[in-house]
Amino acid sequence: LVRALINTGTIYYLKKDYIESHSYFKRASKLAEELRDYKQLMLCYIKIGSIFDFWDKNREANDFYNQALQLAIQQRNIQYIGLAQNGLGTSALKLKKYDEALTYFQSAIQTLKNEKDSLLVTIPLNNLGNLYFEKKQYPEAIATFNRLLTLNRYTKDFEGEANTLTNLGNIYLASNNYQPAFRYFKESQKIASLFAFLMPQIQNYLGFSTIHLKNQNYNEALQYYKLYATMRDSVSKQANQILLAEIQAKYELDKKDKENQILLNQNKVLEKDKKLNRLLWNTTIAILLLLIIISLLVVNRIKSKHKKENELMLKNREIHEAQDALLEAKLKNVALEKQSLEDQLTYKNRELTNFALHIAQKNELLQDLRDRLKQIRRFERSEDAHLMKEIILKIQQNMKTDKEFEDFQQY
């Protein structure tokens, strides 16, 4: 299927219907990429690049040529390395980047010169000859086209041979060397007429007309110019129709590309919006989850705090209860001690009262003794003995009050 698409694209390419050709090569490239048919994929990239070259879309052309070159290097495919280098040279030549184009063409020739298919190397050789001709480096151009002519004849590429002979004639004509120019035009015309190659014939007729004009052969110059104009107009009419169709197709393609670009930009905007919405949604979810986690942590912390506070309150209550119980016990002890002290004090007071009574009795006794002794001293009679005895007896009876006085002093 890939090969069929490529063949169809090639047919449209040769018919200069580049729009259809591009469509088929693009489809073929996608299928080849899916099937990993890298050889056909490289061919598609080079063909698409050449179509963009025709449309003067050099950036797109270079992109496809570079893709083909990178893939060819990966696959170590010498043939497509050379063809990709030639494509990049063609694109550079259109932009008048002569040094860059020269490097690519020379690299392509060096790459393809040992290939079995000798026709391949004729492509960069022809482009190199045109580069030298455009730069007016005529000796280098002649040497390059002579080398190309040898290959054309070796491969029996008659159309290539006719074109190369015409190019040689144009170089000699540009350098005012009319005799070899006429000879090359004549030789080219013979081949082109035989095989009905129109483009070489048109160029040859113009060359003949110019040479006769330079040699002042005006009649011959006019005749050849008429042949040139007739064939050019015929080809130009067809070419103009093709060009008009191409311009229209190119316009449609550009319009389609712009529409696709607009859609692509819109899709990018939508994708950005989706990404932004997704980001906002994810951010919102993340914030909500974070808030939930923080809330749970706060609730847990509050619960833990309350639990600790309750435990602390319980412990404080227990401590207070214990303190109250201890205080109550202390108060009870104090009350008991107070009661005991009061009892002791009452008891002591009672004893003190008793002691005081004893002391009072003793004082009365001593007072009585003193009074009696005074009487003894006054009377000093026989009855004194009896009185003395009585005094002594009272003293002995009350001697025990001395010990009680010692106990009283302890209080």
Side-chain angles (χ1 to χ4, degrees):
L1 182 57
V2 176
R3 188 70 253 178
L5 290 170
I6 290 174
N7 289 339
T8 307
T10 303
I11 292 170
Y12 281 113
Y13 185 86
L14 295 173
K15 291 171 64 177
K16 300 186 184 302
D17 188 347
Y18 297 117
I19 297 294
E20 286 296 325
S21 179
H22 175 269
S23 175
Y24 277 99
F25 281 125
K26 189 174 181 180
R27 288 165 57 192
S29 67
K30 288 182 178 179
L31 185 57
E33 187 174 8
E34 290 175 3
L35 297 174
R36 296 185 179 181
D37 189 346
Y38 297 118
K39 186 175 181 180
Q40 304 299 341
L41 182 59
M42 289 183 286
L43 175 60
C44 290
Y45 284 159
I46 289 171
K47 288 295 186 181
I48 293 171
S50 66
I51 292 171
F52 279 117
D53 251 340
F54 177 80
W55 288 335
D56 294 326
K57 293 189 174 183
N58 300 98
R59 183 178 61 82
E60 291 85 349
N62 279 335
D63 287 342
F64 279 99
Y65 288 141
N66 277 312
Q67 287 184 66
L69 180 60
Q70 295 303 318
L71 188 56
I73 292 171
Q74 290 175 9
Q75 299 298 313
R76 299 180 181 179
N77 190 308
I78 302 300
Q79 175 180 329
Y80 285 104
I81 290 174
L83 291 175
Q85 290 170 335
N86 176 74
L88 289 166
T90 303
S91 185
L93 181 60
K94 281 196 169 188
L95 296 173
K96 307 297 182 184
K97 297 180 179 180
Y98 295 119
D99 292 338
E100 185 179 336
L102 178 63
T103 301
Y104 279 123
F105 289 144
Q106 288 176 339
S107 298
I109 292 167
Q110 187 67 26
T111 303
L112 296 171
K113 68 179 182 179
N114 294 323
E115 282 294 293
K116 293 180 181 179
D117 189 352
S118 302
L119 281 173
L120 293 175
V121 77
T122 63
I123 301 171
L125 271 173
N126 183 69
N127 290 330
L128 182 62
N130 288 328
L131 184 149
Y132 286 134
F133 183 41
E134 193 171 323
K135 291 182 68 179
K136 298 183 179 180
Q137 293 179 240
Y138 300 133
E140 290 84 353
I142 289 170
T144 303
F145 279 122
N146 276 323
R147 182 181 173 186
L148 177 59
L149 183 61
T150 302
L151 285 171
N152 293 146
R153 287 170 176 170
Y154 175 76
T155 58
K156 296 182 180 180
D157 179 11
F158 299 113
E159 186 174 10
E161 183 181 356
N163 285 319
T164 302
L165 289 167
T166 298
N167 287 332
L168 284 166
N170 284 327
I171 294 169
Y172 281 109
L173 180 61
S175 59
N176 297 321
N177 199 343
Y178 303 129
Q179 186 174 355
F182 189 86
R183 186 176 72 250
Y184 280 115
F185 285 139
K186 185 176 181 180
E187 192 173 352
S188 172
Q189 186 62 22
K190 182 178 179 181
I191 298 170
S193 298
L194 180 63
F195 293 99
F197 300 139
L198 296 179
M199 293 309 297
Q201 290 187 66
I202 294 172
Q203 291 295 317
N204 292 334
Y205 286 143
L206 180 61
F208 288 141
S209 176
T210 304
I211 292 171
H212 283 298
L213 184 62
K214 295 290 184 180
N215 291 328
Q216 299 182 354
N217 298 322
Y218 301 116
N219 187 43
E220 287 83 352
L222 180 59
Q223 294 299 321
Y224 278 114
Y225 189 81
K226 286 180 179 180
L227 289 171
Y228 159 74
T230 302
M231 189 170 288
R232 180 202 62 188
D233 291 342
S234 176
V235 173
S236 295
K237 187 176 180 180
Q238 296 176 6
N240 287 336
Q241 291 176 349
I242 294 172
L243 183 60
L244 183 61
E246 281 296 326
I247 292 171
Q248 182 64 30
K250 188 177 179 181
Y251 168 76
E252 294 295 334
L253 182 64
D254 287 341
K255 183 179 178 182
K256 189 175 181 180
D257 286 343
K258 288 179 180 178
E259 290 174 352
N260 289 336
Q261 188 63 40
I262 291 170
L263 288 173
L264 182 61
N265 292 334
Q266 290 176 346
N267 288 334
K268 286 181 178 179
V269 172
L270 290 173
E271 188 64 28
K272 285 182 179 179
D273 289 340
K274 286 181 180 178
K275 287 182 179 179
L276 182 60
N277 291 332
R278 196 179 301 117
L279 179 62
L280 290 173
W281 177 250
N282 291 337
T283 304
T284 303
I285 292 174
I287 291 172
L288 288 173
L289 289 174
L290 184 61
L291 289 173
I292 291 170
I293 292 170
I294 293 172
S295 300
L296 290 173
L297 290 174
V298 170
V299 169
N300 287 334
R301 188 167 183 179
I302 291 172
K303 286 183 177 179
S304 177
K305 186 177 179 181
H306 286 169
K307 184 178 179 182
K308 289 181 179 179
E309 288 177 350
N310 291 333
E311 291 176 352
L312 182 61
M313 288 176 63
L314 183 60
K315 287 181 180 179
N316 288 334
R317 188 183 300 160
E318 291 175 353
I319 291 170
H320 286 311
E321 289 176 355
Q323 289 177 344
D324 292 342
L326 181 62
L327 181 59
E328 186 178 352
K330 285 182 178 180
L331 291 173
K332 287 181 179 180
N333 290 333
V334 169
L336 290 172
E337 288 178 359
K338 183 179 178 181
Q339 184 64 38
S340 176
L341 289 173
E342 288 177 352
D343 292 341
Q344 289 179 10
L345 183 60
T346 302
Y347 176 75
K348 293 294 183 182
N349 287 333
R350 191 180 301 117
E351 286 187 343
L352 286 173
T353 303
N354 293 329
F355 280 129
L357 291 172
H358 287 303
I359 291 171
Q361 289 175 358
K362 191 171 284 187
N363 287 336
E364 290 177 0
L365 176 62
L366 289 175
Q367 184 67 33
D368 185 45
L369 287 175
R370 189 181 67 177
D371 293 338
R372 287 177 183 265
L373 286 173
K374 286 180 179 181
Q375 291 177 4
I376 292 171
R377 186 180 291 178
R378 187 183 308 148
F379 298 104
E380 289 182 358
R381 292 188 302 267
S382 58
E383 317 74 49
D384 293 339
H386 176 73
L387 183 62
M388 289 297 292
K389 186 177 178 180
E390 186 178 348
I391 292 170
I392 290 169
L393 180 60
K394 285 186 177 182
I395 291 170
Q396 286 179 345
Q397 288 177 348
N398 289 285
M399 281 182 63
K400 59 181 181 181
T401 59
D402 293 335
K403 183 177 182 302
E404 291 171 352
F405 181 73
E406 290 176 1
D407 293 336
F408 176 77
Q409 285 182 330
Q410 290 180 2
Y411 294 99

